[in-house]
Structures are given as structure tokens and as C-alpha cells.
Amino acid sequence: MDLLLRGKVAVISGASQGLGRATAHLLAQEGARVALLSRSREKLEDARRDILAQTGQEDDAVQIHPLDVRDKAAVEQAIQTIRAHFGGIDILLANAGGPPAGTFETITDEQYEDAFQTLFMGTVRLIRAVLPSMRTRGGGRIGIITSQSVKAPMPGLLLSNAIRAGVTGLARTLANEVAKDGILINCFAPGRVDTERTRTLDAGIAEREGLSVEAVKARMSGEIPLGRYGTPEEFARVAAFYLSFANTYVTGQTILIDGGKVGTLW
Ligand SMILES: NC(=O)c1ccc[n+]([C@@H]2O[C@H](COP(=O)([O-])OP(=O)(O)OC[C@H]3O[C@@H](n4cnc5c(N)ncnc54)[C@H](OP(=O)(O)O)[C@@H]3O)[C@@H](O)[C@H]2O)c1
């Protein structure tokens, strides 16, 4: 199947590692020109080098923009620059780092505010910035990385459970508002995919429970019907389809990429 990505322009935030980077890589491999956003210039340069070396993309088809998605002006400026460089934007993957673990008793007002700015307002501002270009081009595809926690809230991850539920409501509402413009929006909800984020969470659980990280990973894997963590590439293959122009009829959905872990019917 042709994903119809050749020549399309994709903006990916949280693109310097993990799920964002793997998805950017695959989109580039499928012929999209990509703009990579995240805070660390060094990690972005590394991602860019990798993509150029492995996908055969032209030098100017992969841009990097070091920024923090909490910085409204920086997001607007980067999107303007990307639009000017590539002539427009077709695809956005909105993504950033997960919030710290914690319970109602431990989470501070500052942590609520920070998670809201990073996950919710970061997404709002990215989408707001790309919509005009997508409308001009007659359509677009938007993806937002959330979490399995939007289907089944996870113990000890109150911030993720709370804020991502809001992001899901935002996406579901906006999908209907922009459908008439040919813009499709879906959320991607990973379960346990082997990235830096998962390794940090597992290390935290191991420390709290006095277990080895391997023991935590074995227990977590046992709760997944497919019996293992996913890989960033497995995540990327799913995301790339819904972000592609081969997807013409799925919008407003949350796609679980969790090896079968979450047992809900919807
Ligand atoms: N991996 C999983 O199984 C899983 C499961 C459920 C939910 N999730 C969520 O899915 C998202 C991606 O997961 P991941 O595993 O790829 O995480 P990750 O390995 O921690 O990567 C997060 C990415 O976001 C960037 N980032 C963090 N804060 C940012 C900010 N304020 N502004 C701009 N970029 C920022 C990081 O790069 P810089 O440091 O360069 O900014 C990095 O590129 C996270 O929100 C995570 O919580 C992941």
C-alpha cells in the first residue's frame, strides 16, 4: 500500500528520541520531508544525521528546531519558518515528554501547571499554528501521542491520567470542527513501548518496590497479552498510517498500541 507521503511535509515534536523520533524516521523513509522539534539541539542533530543517513532524503528535507513546546512564541516562530522553508505543512505529530509519576497527595500545583502547559497547551499551540497551512493546502493529518491511561487510568500516574484525558476530549471535539477542511485528527495511545520514558518509569517502580528493573519489566510484560514491550518502530508503523494520506476515513479516534493490554471494548 502506498501511504501517499511522498513530498508531504510533516512536523514532529518530541522528535529527538523515542516514539517521536521513530515516527519521524519512518515518515521520512516513506518520502515525507520532516521538521523535528524538541528541546535538545544535540539530540535533534543526532536524529537528523540518522534520518539523512538511513532514508536517502535530501539534506534540506530534514529540518531541526530546538524549542520547548511550553514556549508559545518559539512554537509560532518555528512553524512559520517551517512553512516558509517547505512551502506548507501537511502533517503534525504533537508529542512531548511525559509528566512525573505521583499521587494526589504528592503532586504540587507547579507540577499540575507544568504538565498542563507541556501536554495540553503545547498541543493546542502546535495545532493552532499548523491549521492555516493545512486549510490552504486543502487538508491535513494530525496525531497526538497520549497514553493507554486515557482508556484505563494507571496507578501512580495521576498527572498523565488527568491531563491526557483532557487532550483526548480536545482532539475528539476538534476532529469534528475541522473535518470539513479535510483535516483528520487521531490520538495514539501507547501501552508499554521500550523507550527512555518507559525505562525511567520502570526504574522508579523498581526503586519504590525494592525490585530489580528486570523483575519490574518481567511483571509488566506478563500483563501484556503479546507478552513483551513494543518497539518504537512498531509504534511508528501504526502512527504513520493514521498520519498518512492513505488514511481517508478515520478521525477523532484513540488508537491503542499496547500489545492487547487494555481490555476495554471501546
Ligand atoms: N513509551 C511508552 O510506552 C509510553 C506509554 C504511554 C505514554 N507515553 C507518552 O508518549 C510520549 C512519548 O513517549 P516516549 O517514550 O517517546 O518519551 P521520551 O523517550 O521521554 O521522549 C520524549 C520526547 O519529547 C521531548 N520533549 C520533552 N519535553 C519537551 C518539551 N517541553 N518541549 C519539547 N520537546 C520535549 C524529548 O526531547 P528533549 O529532551 O530534546 O526535549 C523527547 O524527544 C510521552 O509523553 C510519554 O509519556 C509513552
Side-chain angles (χ1 to χ4, degrees):
M1 177 172 57
D2 185 353
L3 292 179
L4 306 174
L5 283 166
R6 199 146 298 282
K8 299 291 185 198
V9 177
V11 175
I12 301 102
S13 65
S16 66
Q17 63 184 45
L19 307 181
R21 178 166 171 164
T23 307
H25 199 113
L26 185 51
L27 293 175
Q29 208 159 48
E30 292 293 321
R33 294 169 287 166
V34 293
L36 316 177
L37 282 45
S38 87
R39 294 163 304 179
S40 158
R41 174 178 290 278
E42 204 184 329
K43 285 195 284 174
L44 283 175
E45 277 169 354
D46 184 64
R48 180 172 185 276
R49 264 194 305 275
D50 240 24
I51 291 175
L52 287 176
Q54 293 171 29
T55 66
Q57 276 286 15
E58 300 284 320
D59 214 52
D60 71 349
V62 184
Q63 276 208 333
I64 61 165
H65 294 270
L67 59 77
D68 190 316
V69 296
R70 290 169 296 186
D71 183 341
K72 182 173 188 262
V75 169
E76 285 169 359
Q77 180 59 55
I79 298 297
Q80 253 183 42
T81 309
I82 294 161
R83 197 174 166 180
H85 177 79
F86 289 122
I89 294 168
D90 305 292
I91 295 164
L92 167 70
L93 177 63
N95 172 46
T103 62
F104 190 74
E105 298 301 327
T106 63
I107 292 167
T108 64
D109 283 12
E110 289 71 29
Q111 287 176 317
Y112 279 108
E113 187 55 36
D114 191 50
F116 179 71
Q117 286 299 326
T118 306
L119 298 178
F120 194 94
M121 289 312 299
T123 301
V124 167
R125 290 177 185 134
L126 282 162
I127 294 176
R128 196 187 273 143
V130 300
L131 280 182
S133 180
M134 290 183 176
R135 287 191 169 116
T136 303
R137 282 157 92 89
R141 300 290 180 270
I142 297 174
I144 307 169
I145 302 187
T146 58
S147 167
Q148 61 177 338
S149 67
V150 304
K151 298 278 186 184
M154 296 169 71
L157 288 179
L158 185 139
L159 278 175
S160 177
N161 297 341
I163 310 280
R164 295 191 202 275
V167 172
T168 306
L170 168 82
R172 189 65 194 85
T173 309
L174 189 58
N176 288 7
E177 293 183 14
V178 297
K180 64 178 185 317
D181 302 317
I183 300 169
L184 280 54
I185 303 186
N186 292 289
C187 294
F188 307 125
R192 236 165 171 80
V193 182
D194 193 7
T195 66
E196 202 58 43
R197 163 75 175 171
T198 316
R199 287 190 278 275
T200 304
L201 288 175
D202 284 357
I205 297 169
E207 195 180 326
R208 281 195 301 281
E209 299 187 12
L211 297 167
S212 68
V213 175
E214 292 68 36
V216 171
K217 198 168 171 186
R219 187 177 77 202
M220 295 289 182
S221 298
E223 294 169 3
I224 302 169
L226 287 180
R228 62 176 175 82
Y229 287 16
T231 66
E233 292 72 27
E234 287 176 308
F235 173 93
R237 285 199 289 274
V238 178
F241 170 73
Y242 290 100
L243 288 169
S244 81
F245 286 77
N247 170 29
T248 51
Y249 206 57
V250 180
T251 191
Q253 304 306 305
T254 287
I255 318 296
L256 276 167
I257 301 144
D258 70 342
K261 172 141 190 288
V262 175
T264 55
L265 286 177
W266 60 86

